[in-house]
Amino acid sequence: MVKGFEVALRTAAAQTERYIAGELDNLPGEIGKGMVYATQGGKALRAFLVLETAKLHGMTSALPVAAAIECMHAYSLVHDDLPCMDDDALRRGQPTVHVKWDEATAVLVGDALQSLAFECVLRPDIAADARIVLAQTLARAAGVRGMVGGQAADIAAETARAPLSLGQVMALQAGKTGALISWSAMAGARMAQADIAPLKQYGDSLGLAFQIWDDVLDIEGDAEQVGKAVGKDAAAGKATFVSHLGLDGAKRRAADLVKTACDALSVYGNDAETLKEAARFVISRTH
């Protein structure tokens, strides 16, 4: 990773982890502990996108928004790992929440993280209209028109008579993975009530490249580095970008998307260089 981006990503992770842990400090019972556990150790790419796009627009109160998207993302992972869904025992190199505690605790941890996300997203010191838009668009990106809808389509595809077409895989992933990444990329512009179009193009391209690379890592990745089981999609016969495009074709498509993402940032000049490095990181990561 380029040093500037590496520093910004690590800073975003540290700041959001501290913020969320502070929110849950001294909370009695196991739910609070599980919430902190679930939000530690991630890449914090979504938080980075919030903070960096806010910086691009001169907004200085973005940390609660960055914490909000990390809570929302963590909730989705906790529920996605449950036996009734993807049934994973490992996440970020650690036992998943339902393994470390139990399934009921994991469900409640996820529910509470989603609620905390909306508490946090409404906190920044910005125009009231901007806060409302942030909350409305987060609800849409996380719900049936976004992440939840994509997850439902992914589950349905497991028992479908025929594998999904490439177009269907793209639509599924635009919801399951892309919606929260795109929302994060547009957060700074929405906070400033500025034009979101360049960052929407950037976020949409970045989100799709991210998922394509996840499919690549499911084939090429090492479980210890990736931090979760690999090879599950191929073993299940699921339609992925790799199954449709081939490994080399998927890599080329991801690289093209990164170029599109970087080109979309041209209106910001050199101020967007760290965001460009983030796009390049997406297709160079090992986890």
Side-chain angles (χ1 to χ4, degrees), residues 160-203:
R161 291 185 177 180
L164 298 182
S165 68
L166 179 58
Q168 288 172 320
V169 172
M170 290 178 67
L172 183 161
Q173 296 300 348
K176 183 181 177 182
T177 301
L180 292 189
I181 290 178
S182 293
W183 184 89
S184 304
M186 290 184 277
R190 284 184 168 135
M191 290 178 69
Q193 297 181 298
D195 182 17
I196 65 171
L199 289 173
K200 182 179 188 307
Q201 177 68 71
Y202 170 81

Side-chain angles (χ1 to χ4, degrees), residues 1 7-8 24 57 60 99 141 151-152 161 170 197 263 287:
M1 283 190 288
V7 170
L24 303 169
H57 289 83
T60 58
V99 171
Q151 181 66 42
R161 291 185 177 180
M170 290 178 67
D263 288 347
H287 64 286

Side-chain angles (χ1 to χ4, degrees), residues 113-135:
L113 283 168
Q114 185 191 60
S115 297
L116 181 57
F118 285 106
E119 283 189 54
C120 292
V121 83
L122 289 166
R123 285 182 183 160
D125 184 18
I126 56 176
D129 286 352
R131 289 199 300 271
I132 291 169
V133 169
L134 282 175

Side-chain angles (χ1 to χ4, degrees), residues 133-167:
V133 169
L134 282 175
Q136 286 178 327
T137 54
L138 180 59
R140 187 179 185 94
V144 70
R145 295 177 180 86
M147 180 184 68
V148 169
Q151 181 66 42
D154 195 27
I155 292 170
E158 293 178 1
T159 55
R161 291 185 177 180
L164 298 182
S165 68
L166 179 58

Side-chain angles (χ1 to χ4, degrees), residues 2-216:
V2 173
K3 187 174 181 181
F5 168 62
E6 183 179 7
V7 170
L9 189 65
R10 288 179 179 174
T11 299
Q15 288 179 335
T16 53
E17 286 181 7
R18 282 198 301 270
Y19 187 96
I20 295 166
E23 287 293 307
L24 303 169
D25 189 36
N26 296 322
L27 194 67
E30 296 301 300
I31 303 302
K33 293 177 185 176
M35 293 168 74
V36 173
Y37 180 84
T39 52
Q40 302 284 310
K43 291 183 288 293
L45 178 64
R46 294 157 188 80
F48 158 82
L49 291 171
V50 169
L51 295 174
E52 196 65 26
T53 59
K55 179 182 174 182
L56 198 61
H57 289 83
M59 307 304 294
T60 58
S61 58
L63 184 55
V65 182
I69 195 61
E70 288 301 314
C71 285
M72 188 66 77
H73 178 53
Y75 129 71
S76 75
L77 299 181
V78 171
H79 281 190
D80 192 45
D81 290 335
L82 285 167
C84 62
M85 295 181 72
D86 274 5
D87 193 15
D88 279 312
L90 195 66
R91 172 69 67 179
R92 295 171 176 172
Q94 301 293 329
T96 48
V97 174
H98 71 274
V99 171
K100 186 171 177 64
W101 281 276
D102 52 55
E103 290 183 40
T105 298
V107 170
L108 293 173
V109 164
D111 291 345
L113 283 168
Q114 185 191 60
S115 297
L116 181 57
F118 285 106
E119 283 189 54
C120 292
V121 83
L122 289 166
R123 285 182 183 160
D125 184 18
I126 56 176
D129 286 352
R131 289 199 300 271
I132 291 169
V133 169
L134 282 175
Q136 286 178 327
T137 54
L138 180 59
R140 187 179 185 94
V144 70
R145 295 177 180 86
M147 180 184 68
V148 169
Q151 181 66 42
D154 195 27
I155 292 170
E158 293 178 1
T159 55
R161 291 185 177 180
L164 298 182
S165 68
L166 179 58
Q168 288 172 320
V169 172
M170 290 178 67
L172 183 161
Q173 296 300 348
K176 183 181 177 182
T177 301
L180 292 189
I181 290 178
S182 293
W183 184 89
S184 304
M186 290 184 277
R190 284 184 168 135
M191 290 178 69
Q193 297 181 298
D195 182 17
I196 65 171
L199 289 173
K200 182 179 188 307
Q201 177 68 71
Y202 170 81
D204 288 350
S205 300
L206 184 72
L208 188 53
F210 189 96
Q211 183 55 50
I212 291 174
W213 206 255
D214 266 3
D215 288 353
V216 169

Side-chain angles (χ1 to χ4, degrees), residues 235-258:
K238 288 177 64 174
T240 67
F241 290 103
V242 172
S243 69
H244 277 291
L245 302 173
L247 190 58
D248 290 341
K251 289 179 179 180
R252 286 194 298 271
R253 180 68 66 88
D256 289 344
L257 285 163
V258 166

